[in-house]
Amino acid sequence: MPARPTQISLEPERRRALAAELFNHVWTLMETEQRTQRETDLMIAAAYASRFFWEESGEPLRLARGEWQISRACAIGGRPTSALEHAQRCLELCEAHQLSPFDFGYAHEALARGLQAAGDEAAAAEAVRTARAVVSRIEDDEDRELLNQDLDA
């Protein structure tokens, strides 16, 4: 049996570029109003791929945002169990690495979307309240507005 690789042989710069390109591609697919099932499947696969390529960097911020994006893609793609799993991972990364209020707020936004996709409206509303409590601690006006818009959606 041939030896299986233990890592992907891409230069770190190329890995980061792929991670970012895939992340942005997921946004394009998430914003597609008449997304087909194939596009939904590609959106979720690309979110996982982006997170995979960020892994080598080990940057907690990138990893948390990758988990957030997987959660969101899964929530809007009709996969609430996966959405909740990745939202929880995002929150754990935020807590473990004391990330910014912006990222904490989005971790709770991801939990809210996952819970809503799972049909638990009461728990989703509580996650939105938790996220809103964080908004006032976000220093950047645009970041505050962005989170508020996503919480209103």
Side-chain angles (χ1 to χ4, degrees), residues 2 5-7 12 17 29 35-36 48 65 73 78 81 131 147-150:
T6 58
Q7 62 183 3
L29 292 169
R35 195 176 41 256
T36 65
Y48 277 103
R65 289 182 180 179
T81 301
L147 180 54
N148 274 323
Q149 286 175 358
D150 279 333

Side-chain angles (χ1 to χ4, degrees), residues 28-49:
T28 298
L29 292 169
M30 284 195 297
E31 292 174 344
T32 300
E33 289 185 30
Q34 298 295 321
R35 195 176 41 256
T36 65
Q37 184 59 52
R38 172 102 173 109
E39 289 170 324
T40 297
D41 292 343
L42 290 172
M43 172 186 68
I44 293 168
Y48 277 103

